[in-house]
Amino acid sequence: MSIIMGRVGAAAAIVAMFLLSSCGLNSEKKPVMAESSHTRGEQCDRALGFFSKELGIPTVDIEYESEAPYEEIGLGAHCTVTQTDLAIGQTRLRAMLPNESEPALLKGDLSYIPQSGYDEKVWIKTTASAVNIATKVDGWQGTLTINTAQIKTGESKFKISDQQIRSASQFLISLTKELGAEG
């Protein structure tokens, strides 16, 4: 009788271990990259609106290249804003890899300066010809490039203000949050 109880106890222990591991209680949880079901068109429409309304840039358009506006963002997508066929800006959204702690383009580039005063992490790199902004929101990275040297606003050269850079940073945070997988 004790042999039978021993076998039943061993079988019960094996079943219990199986149930615990299948429920995830005994296994290590691995991060999973989630895809976005939002479309490139949504991303590009928002970028176009930002460049025309917030930055006040006339006659802007979107260049889709070989991808269609109805295609899903999936694990990542980009959108190029043009003015008279010149690329004046770009947004990129990408699911971060499980081992990434910050946007990939920041690695080894010390010219990106961390910013404060935002709900999410923001880094900015300013050059004579462009402003580059990066953010990290809920496992997604967003980047925004404004090619200031390419932008035409009439007779004068386009100058971006500190307030416009702040507005661009807020726009990028919202874009990444709303169109990332959790959005």
Side-chain angles (χ1 to χ4, degrees):
M1 180 87 148
S2 65
I3 293 176
I4 294 174
M5 292 298 282
R7 288 185 183 162
V8 170
I14 291 171
V15 169
M17 286 176 30
F18 172 76
L19 288 174
L20 284 175
S21 66
S22 66
C23 291
L25 298 174
N26 195 27
S27 64
E28 186 177 311
K29 185 177 180 183
K30 295 181 181 173
V32 176
M33 293 171 47
E35 293 189 22
S36 172
S37 60
H38 292 279
T39 66
R40 292 188 72 233
E42 290 176 83
Q43 178 183 353
C44 292
D45 286 348
R46 291 179 188 205
L48 187 66
F50 175 77
F51 274 79
S52 66
K53 292 179 184 120
E54 297 296 320
L55 296 181
I57 301 169
T59 60
V60 290
D61 204 357
I62 297 298
E63 182 180 302
Y64 282 104
E65 298 171 5
S66 63
E67 290 94 17
Y70 58 81
E71 289 182 22
E72 289 186 355
I73 292 171
L75 292 175
H78 73 279
C79 181
T80 302
V81 179
T82 62
Q83 183 185 44
T84 58
D85 296 327
L86 289 174
I88 62 166
Q90 186 174 76
T91 60
R92 287 187 178 274
L93 299 174
R94 181 176 72 81
M96 295 180 69
L97 300 173
N99 62 345
E100 288 181 311
S101 60
E102 58 188 30
L105 66 101
L106 300 178
K107 288 186 180 173
D109 191 342
L110 300 177
S111 55
Y112 276 92
I113 309 298
Q115 304 296 301
S116 60
Y118 296 97
D119 292 339
E120 304 292 341
K121 290 185 176 183
V122 173
W123 297 265
I124 296 177
K125 172 182 174 179
T126 306
T127 66
S129 61
V131 173
N132 300 285
I133 305 169
T135 190
K136 172 187 164 186
V137 180
D138 298 329
W140 277 71
Q141 70 176 17
T143 60
L144 170 64
T145 301
I146 304 169
N147 296 320
T148 54
Q150 300 284 6
I151 297 171
K152 307 292 184 251
T153 58
E155 297 296 320
S156 62
K157 181 180 175 184
F158 179 77
K159 292 186 189 298
I160 192 163
S161 70
D162 289 342
Q163 181 55 41
Q164 287 173 314
I165 292 172
R166 182 156 185 75
S167 177
S169 300
Q170 286 298 145
F171 163 74
L172 182 60
I173 290 169
S174 295
L175 183 75
T176 308
K177 186 178 288 185
E178 293 168 10
L179 298 186
E182 300 300 317

